[in-house]
Amino acid sequence: MKGIWLLYLFVFSYGVFARTNVSTRPAVVNIGGVFTFNSTIGRVAKVALEAAVKDVNFDSSVLKGTKLRLTMQDSNCSGFIGIVEVLKFMETDTVAIIGPQTSVLAHLISHVANELQVPFLSFSATDPTLSSLQFPFFVRTTQNDLYQMTAVADIVRYYGWRDVIAIYIDDDYGRNGISALGEGLARNRCRISYKVGIPPLQQVSHDDITNILVKVISQESRIIVLHTNRDSGLIVFSVAKYLGMMDAGFVWIATEWLASVLDSSSPLPSSTMESMQGVLVLRQHTADSQRKRDFFARWNKLSGGSFGLSSYGLYAYDSVWLIAHALDAYFDQGGTISFSNDSRLSNTKEGKLHLQAMSIFDGGKMLLRNILQTQLIGLTGHIQFNSDRSLIHPAYDVINVFETGFRRIGYWSNYSGLSVIPPETLYMRPPNRTNENQKLNTVIWPGETAQKPRGWVFPNGAKQLLIGVPNRVSFQEFVTQVKGTDMMKGFCIDVFTAAVSLLPYAVPYKFIPFGDGHNNPSYSELVNSITTNKFDAVVGDIAIFTNRTKAVDFTQPFTESGLVVVVPFEKLSSSGWSFLRPFTPEMWSVTCAFFLFVGVVVWILEHRQNSEFRGPPKKQLVTILWFSFSTLFFAHRESTVSTLGRLVLLMWLFVVLIINSSYTASLTSILTVQQLYSPIEGIESLKRSDEPIGFQVGSFAEQYLMEELHISKSRLVPLGSPEQYAVALQRGPNKKGGVAAVIDEGPYVDHFLSSHCTFRTVGPEFTKNGWGFAFPRDSALEVDISTAILTLSENGDLQKIHDKWLTRPACTLESIAELESDRLHFMSFWGLFLTCGIALFIALIIYILQLWLKFRKLLSDETDFTGQGSSLSTRLHKFLSFVDEKEDQLTNKSKRRQMETSAYNEEIDDDSGRKTKRRQIDQS
């Protein structure tokens, strides 16, 4: 009975609570919609919003009896009209507004939303500057243009382009979108080389567009990003078709506006489709689902078949469901629909605007919070907001306009970049944005070609490239001006002209000599002239090194280069001490030390067993010295008897064999071949000295020697020609104007030595670089010239040009026999000596361990014999005596001790027996 009463009480309480909860839910909630009815997006949005409200009201599980009432206002593509229509909603207790359609209007009415605390949910305002901090009551239920422009930038990088041209509608939507594009391109080391805005008027004439595109076609870039609206965008394609800008070589990338036109207005007129063949288009990606397919099946009935469904319609539909779920949570939390007057509006002077009719939504902040926290599965996929109020998993379809329609060639997502796999599949895998993982299917580009456009050309009527060329006075085989003309000639000029001839387009250029014709010009000043726009490029023997690459871009090197040291050589004649020259002093010292070391080790190993290594100290010292050095001639008379001694001697004889062979070969060369000598062995020995150093005027060698090697400028002597090189080297450092060495780049030195056979290079190149042609940063021509240089290298033409200008005379070949044979250094034998030394130490360690074990045994025997231990000093003295004793003497002594021990034991036993017998007699 008690249980029945408790059940009755529970049911009664639940009924009261339920009636109380239902009573807080109004029968109808007003929401608004503001957009342009007669627009591509507006027509689709109107039908989608009506269908969404109908579906929400039909589903009693969402708002639990509360109905949505949608009132839509037409902004008529006008910011002013849009504001007026929004203010009307403020008089009708509207809790949320879907819209506005455009980013321009969103900037304006978001201030109203902030004041009256009514959430605005826009399904089409994509301007990235609509910040949640500035406009907290503005909620974007579609994708942010920040992601769309990142996708465009990734496409540009994927195809290897650098410069793009941006055509945009000149309002907040267009300007801010292109600004985001510029940031995305900069992250990929690309840029907007030219941008032009279209006036944001309802009617833009063909003449206006023609004037814009004429400026565009005069630019070098052929990558055009079109970020406009439907009306101006379609006119741009029509005029571009007329101007030939839809032919092969051009690339057009249109943003989401064109995708909405293709989806909602398909099929377009054939003339319109022909004007946009090959265009790449980005479309907001919506996940495939059965619910989405069912809605598409309903669409023809909803729209009457007059227009198709675009992604904006899907986002508009989901916006209504988002409000419905947020309101349901709002009512569950005890929220009510109530408004209060704004005291600031009540205090305004009377007028006909009726501003006091507008009120503040008291539950606006709570409803906004519920909207941002709501998660649901809609037609567009999983709907959820991240921390910056953007929809999670932004993604786009990449489509290609072709023939009478379009085809999808891939996807872009903020998670994985470009791919041919749907983003929903990639979300289940670890993120991978490596270059190898970025993929798109084949594109049919404008001109109906599948070959990727180069992306830039020299436009018709473009000015000639002004190319700076060093007017050299010396080494004119590399580059110089033809006297009496404006023409340039030389090895570098031929390489450049050959590379240009391989380009698939014409390059108008003009060589401009740089220099006074009396001295070699400064190459650093020549390269810096590109940064001041004096020259469009620099061609010549331009060395590539770090400081220059910070200011300009260089092509692929067309020849190797590096700084080398040139010195004069003295001929050395044979003398009475020539036999010492094969080894350096260091080598002589190490060899002698090892001879002595080996003698000492062998004496230690043989001393206890071999009689030939015993005797008075003076005799033993003589034996060590004789044995050590006699092994040099394999004439040692002392034989080794120990195993360790024989192993050590075998290893050492192998070392001696190699040293003997090397010494003999080197001495033979010294005595039979004319030798050349220089006290300078390379850049290191030159740095340690204080002698003058010559360098070529205009070369980067002067800057390198001072800044990198810290050589005083007072030591540097400028030289202007190969003849000055020869004179300065012949004079030497002790005469005025003379130098100890000349430091210059490898190609110049090779050419100099081909006609001056009395000089040589010492040491290796101490810099590794090359010669290239300089262009402004991010120049597209630099990439194509580099490719052409590689082609010249692969087909052998580069070597032919080299042989034409830089063939060496025969004196270089004749003088090869005069090159100095290097002396034998310790570094060439250190491995051999190290191996031998390790073997000697191992033998010594093994020998010492053997001695120690024998000595311990001997010491143990003595202790047993005497029954007494010994002090540390006594043990040490015994050990030294033990080491010095001969092995057979020690053996005899050990045998004698054993015999004495046995006799002693027998005597003890006998004595013990006699005592026992005497004790027995006494007892009896």
Side-chain angles (χ1 to χ4, degrees):
M1 189 69 177
K2 183 181 295 183
I4 295 175
W5 278 105
L6 290 175
L7 178 63
Y8 175 78
L9 180 62
F10 171 79
V11 172
F12 175 80
S13 302
Y14 177 81
V16 172
F17 175 79
R19 286 194 298 272
T20 304
N21 186 35
V22 171
S23 65
T24 62
R25 291 176 176 262
V28 177
V29 176
N30 294 322
I31 63 174
V34 56
F35 48 89
T36 301
F37 292 171
N38 189 27
S39 65
T40 301
I41 297 175
R43 287 194 297 268
V44 176
K46 187 174 185 297
V47 176
L49 290 174
E50 292 172 346
V53 171
K54 183 178 179 180
D55 292 346
V56 168
N57 290 336
F58 181 78
D59 189 347
S60 59
S61 64
V62 180
L63 286 173
K64 302 177 179 65
T66 300
K67 303 296 182 182
L68 290 181
R69 178 188 296 156
L70 173 65
T71 303
M72 294 182 285
Q73 302 289 353
D74 188 1
S75 62
N76 200 24
C77 289
S78 170
F80 175 72
I81 298 299
I83 294 176
V84 172
E85 299 299 339
V86 168
L87 293 178
K88 291 181 180 179
F89 286 127
M90 302 298 102
E91 301 176 349
T92 58
D93 294 345
T94 300
V95 299
I97 297 175
I98 300 176
Q101 176 180 324
T102 65
S103 299
V104 176
L105 185 56
H107 277 278
L108 296 174
I109 65 175
S110 290
H111 293 285
V112 178
N114 291 347
E115 290 295 327
L116 302 181
Q117 299 185 7
V118 176
F120 277 70
L121 286 75
S122 178
F123 57 87
S124 59
T126 58
D127 182 358
T129 64
L130 288 167
S131 168
S132 59
L133 296 176
Q134 184 180 6
F135 307 116
F137 282 86
F138 174 82
V139 180
R140 195 197 319 268
T141 59
T142 187
Q143 300 296 347
N144 191 328
D145 268 348
L146 182 66
Y147 300 112
Q148 179 174 209
M149 295 307 175
T150 302
V152 173
D154 284 353
I155 291 174
V156 172
R157 180 186 62 178
Y158 173 75
Y159 287 110
W161 300 315
R162 288 190 177 183
D163 294 350
V164 303
I165 295 174
I167 302 176
Y168 60 96
I169 192 75
D170 196 8
D171 57 14
D172 291 340
Y173 159 74
R175 286 191 297 269
N176 296 330
I178 294 302
S179 177
L181 174 62
E183 295 175 0
L185 290 171
R187 287 193 295 270
N188 295 337
R189 291 198 64 186
C190 304
R191 63 169 185 164
I192 299 175
S193 60
Y194 181 76
K195 57 184 178 181
V196 57
I198 299 176
L201 304 176
Q202 294 185 7
Q203 296 296 329
V204 180
S205 67
H206 279 69
D207 291 340
D208 295 333
I209 300 298
T210 301
N211 293 334
I212 290 174
L213 293 185
V214 167
K215 297 178 182 178
V216 170
I217 203 173
S218 65
Q219 305 299 313
E220 293 184 2
S221 176
R222 288 295 181 262
I223 313 300
I224 304 172
V225 177
L226 188 59
H227 185 55
T228 60
N229 53 33
R230 171 195 171 100
D231 296 332
S232 58
L234 294 180
I235 296 175
V236 167
F237 283 128
S238 176
V239 176
K241 177 70 174 178
Y242 173 76
L243 295 177
M245 298 177 68
M246 301 305 298
D247 296 338
F250 284 87
V251 175
W252 289 83
I253 303 176
T255 52
E256 219 282 331
W257 69 269
L258 182 55
S260 66
V261 174
L262 294 173
D263 287 334
S264 61
S265 303
S266 183
L268 291 169
S270 59
S271 60
T272 303
M273 292 300 299
E274 289 177 2
S275 67
M276 60 178 69
Q277 290 295 299
V279 175
L280 290 183
V281 186
L282 289 176
R283 176 177 62 189
Q284 296 178 92
H285 175 74
T286 55
D288 187 28
S289 64
Q290 185 59 46
R291 186 180 179 190
K292 176 182 173 182
R293 290 193 291 270
D294 293 342
F295 190 76
F296 267 92
R298 293 173 53 195
W299 184 255
N300 283 336
K301 182 178 179 181
L302 293 173
S303 63
S306 57
F307 47 84
L309 175 61
S310 66
S311 60
Y312 288 119
L314 300 176
Y315 282 110
Y317 181 90
D318 285 347
S319 298
V320 175
W321 280 88
L322 183 63
I323 292 176
H325 282 277
L327 283 171
D328 185 53
Y330 175 79
F331 292 138
D332 286 345
Q333 296 166 3
T336 60
I337 306 300
S338 63
F339 293 82
S340 58
N341 294 328
D342 190 340
S343 59
R344 290 174 296 177
L345 295 178
S346 302
N347 295 332
T348 57
K349 295 182 179 180
E350 295 183 359
K352 297 182 179 181
L353 293 179
H354 303 290
L355 297 178
Q356 65 275 9
M358 293 185 293
S359 54
I360 298 174
F361 179 29
D362 296 329
K365 293 182 179 179
M366 183 187 297
L367 179 59
L368 174 64
R369 184 170 60 252
N370 287 332
I371 290 173
L372 296 175
Q373 294 175 352
T374 298
Q375 299 184 35
L376 70 149
I377 304 299
L379 298 182
T380 58
H382 184 61
I383 300 175
Q384 181 182 348
F385 295 95
N386 56 25
S387 58
D388 63 353
R389 298 190 179 185
S390 295
L391 291 176
I392 63 172
H393 300 322
Y396 290 85
D397 298 335
V398 183
I399 60 179
N400 181 207
V401 179
F402 181 61
E403 294 182 349
T404 59
F406 54 87
R407 61 191 184 93
R408 183 168 52 206
I409 62 169
Y411 307 88
W412 178 92
S413 69
N414 194 47
Y415 184 78
S416 56
L418 298 170
S419 71
V420 294
I421 303 174
E424 292 75 29
T425 303
L426 297 176
Y427 293 150
M428 297 182 290
R429 305 176 184 176
N432 187 351
R433 305 264 328 232
T434 60
N435 292 334
E436 296 77 10
N437 201 51
Q438 305 298 296
K439 296 180 181 178
L440 289 176
N441 289 323
T442 302
V443 178
I444 304 300
W445 302 101
E448 298 184 2
T449 177
Q451 183 178 1
K452 185 198 76 172
R454 184 174 58 254
W456 73 281
V457 295
F458 279 98
N460 295 330
K463 68 180 182 67
Q464 288 182 323
L465 292 179
L466 300 181
I467 299 179
V469 180
N471 187 11
R472 294 193 60 89
V473 177
S474 61
F475 297 106
Q476 296 185 356
E477 293 81 2
F478 294 97
V479 58
T480 191
Q481 182 179 9
V482 179
K483 293 183 179 180
T485 67
D486 293 334
M487 299 176 59
M488 306 299 294
K489 67 176 182 178
F491 167 66
C492 301
I493 299 300
D494 282 5
V495 173
F496 178 77
T497 54
V500 170
S501 67
L502 295 178
L503 300 181
Y505 49 87
V507 180
Y509 62 87
K510 180 182 180 181
F511 289 134
I512 307 296
F514 182 82
D516 57 11
H518 302 290
N519 297 290
N520 291 335
S522 170
Y523 278 47
S524 296
E525 293 181 7
L526 176 59
V527 172
N528 290 334
S529 297
I530 296 178
T531 61
T532 60
N533 298 322
K534 180 178 180 179
F535 295 127
D536 299 310
V538 169
V539 170
D541 45 344
I542 312 298
I544 304 172
F545 61 93
T546 304
N547 288 340
R548 291 177 181 174
T549 57
K550 294 178 181 178
V552 298
D553 282 346
F554 283 91
T555 62
Q556 172 76 19
F558 57 86
T559 189
E560 294 183 355
S561 177
L563 293 178
V564 294
V565 179
V566 183
V567 296
F569 277 85
E570 299 176 1
K571 292 184 179 181
L572 294 180
S573 58
S574 298
S575 66
W577 299 99
S578 296
F579 68 92
L580 295 176
R581 283 169 51 193
F583 286 169
T584 62
E586 182 185 21
M587 182 64 181
W588 279 116
S589 301
V590 173
T591 303
C592 291
F594 256 83
F595 272 112
L596 295 175
F597 181 49
V598 170
V600 171
V601 171
V602 172
W603 176 83
I604 293 174
L605 298 176
E606 295 291 323
H607 179 66
R608 300 185 71 249
Q609 302 180 33
N610 195 336
S611 299
E612 295 181 355
F613 288 87
R614 300 186 62 82
K618 182 177 180 181
K619 178 185 176 183
Q620 295 184 50
L621 179 60
V622 172
T623 300
I624 292 174
L625 295 176
W626 165 254
F627 181 85
S628 299
F629 291 100
S630 62
T631 56
L632 178 63
F633 311 102
F634 305 99
H636 50 284
R637 65 186 181 187
E638 293 81 7
S639 60
T640 54
V641 296
S642 67
T643 302
L644 291 175
R646 290 173 178 176
L647 290 175
V648 167
L649 183 61
L650 180 64
M651 173 66 72
W652 175 241
L653 291 179
F654 175 72
V655 175
V656 170
L657 175 64
I658 295 177
I659 293 175
N660 272 336
S661 302
S662 303
Y663 176 85
T664 303
S666 180
L667 183 61
T668 302
S669 175
I670 291 174
L671 297 178
T672 58
V673 179
Q674 179 63 56
Q675 300 296 301
L676 302 178
Y677 167 77
S678 173
I680 298 174
E681 300 177 352
I683 186 62
E684 293 300 326
S685 61
L686 196 59
K687 286 170 57 179
R688 291 192 295 267
S689 69
D690 57 356
E691 296 176 336
I693 303 171
F695 68 92
Q696 184 182 170
V697 175
S699 170
F700 80 98
E702 179 185 16
Q703 180 181 0
Y704 182 86
L705 293 174
M706 290 191 299
E707 296 182 359
E708 300 296 331
L709 302 184
H710 307 292
I711 295 176
S712 174
K713 187 176 182 179
S714 61
R715 293 180 57 191
L716 303 181
V717 179
L719 303 173
S721 65
E723 291 73 21
Q724 293 184 17
Y725 285 12
V727 173
L729 288 171
Q730 288 171 353
R731 289 180 177 176
N734 297 324
K735 296 182 180 180
K736 185 176 181 180
V739 296
V742 170
I743 293 181
D744 206 349
E745 297 177 63
Y748 302 127
V749 171
D750 291 342
H751 188 68
F752 168 72
L753 295 180
S754 66
S755 56
H756 296 80
C757 302
T758 58
F759 306 104
R760 293 291 180 272
T761 61
V762 291
E765 291 183 341
F766 54 92
T767 63
K768 292 292 184 181
N769 48 33
W771 288 352
F773 305 135
F775 288 87
R777 296 302 297 268
D778 300 324
S779 171
L781 184 59
E782 174 263 320
V783 178
D784 290 351
I785 292 293
S786 293
T787 304
I789 290 174
L790 289 175
T791 303
L792 291 174
S793 178
E794 292 170 357
N795 62 23
D797 289 343
L798 189 60
Q799 185 61 43
K800 293 178 182 178
I801 298 173
H802 179 276
D803 295 341
K804 171 187 174 182
W805 289 97
L806 305 176
T807 301
R808 298 183 182 182
C811 81
T812 301
L813 299 178
E814 296 173 355
S815 62
I816 292 179
E818 298 181 2
L819 294 176
E820 179 190 7
S821 297
D822 289 337
R823 304 175 71 183
L824 298 177
H825 294 265
F826 170 70
M827 293 303 295
S828 301
F829 298 91
W830 71 268
L832 190 64
F833 283 114
L834 177 63
T835 304
C836 182
I838 292 174
L840 294 176
F841 276 111
I842 292 176
L844 281 176
I845 291 173
I846 294 175
Y847 179 71
I848 292 173
L849 288 176
Q850 291 176 345
L851 284 179
W852 177 250
L853 293 175
K854 292 179 179 179
F855 175 71
R856 289 190 62 182
K857 186 176 182 306
L858 177 65
L859 193 64
S860 177
D861 293 342
E862 290 181 354
T863 303
D864 294 339
F865 178 75
T866 62
Q868 295 180 353
S870 60
S871 64
L872 179 61
S873 60
T874 304
R875 290 183 182 182
L876 180 60
H877 179 72
K878 288 182 178 180
F879 178 73
L880 294 177
S881 299
F882 172 77
V883 171
D884 189 55
E885 287 182 357
K886 194 175 180 181
E887 186 73 24
D888 53 358
Q889 294 177 358
L890 182 65
T891 302
N892 294 333
K893 183 183 294 185
S894 178
K895 290 180 179 179
R896 191 182 309 113
R897 184 178 295 110
Q898 290 177 359
M899 293 174 62
E900 292 175 352
T901 302
S902 298
Y904 176 76
N905 292 333
E906 290 177 359
E907 181 180 353
I908 291 176
D909 292 341
D910 184 65
D911 184 63
S912 176
R914 287 197 298 270
K915 289 181 179 181
T916 303
K917 187 175 182 180
R918 187 180 301 112
R919 185 179 302 112
Q920 291 176 352
I921 294 173
D922 293 340
Q923 292 178 353
S924 62

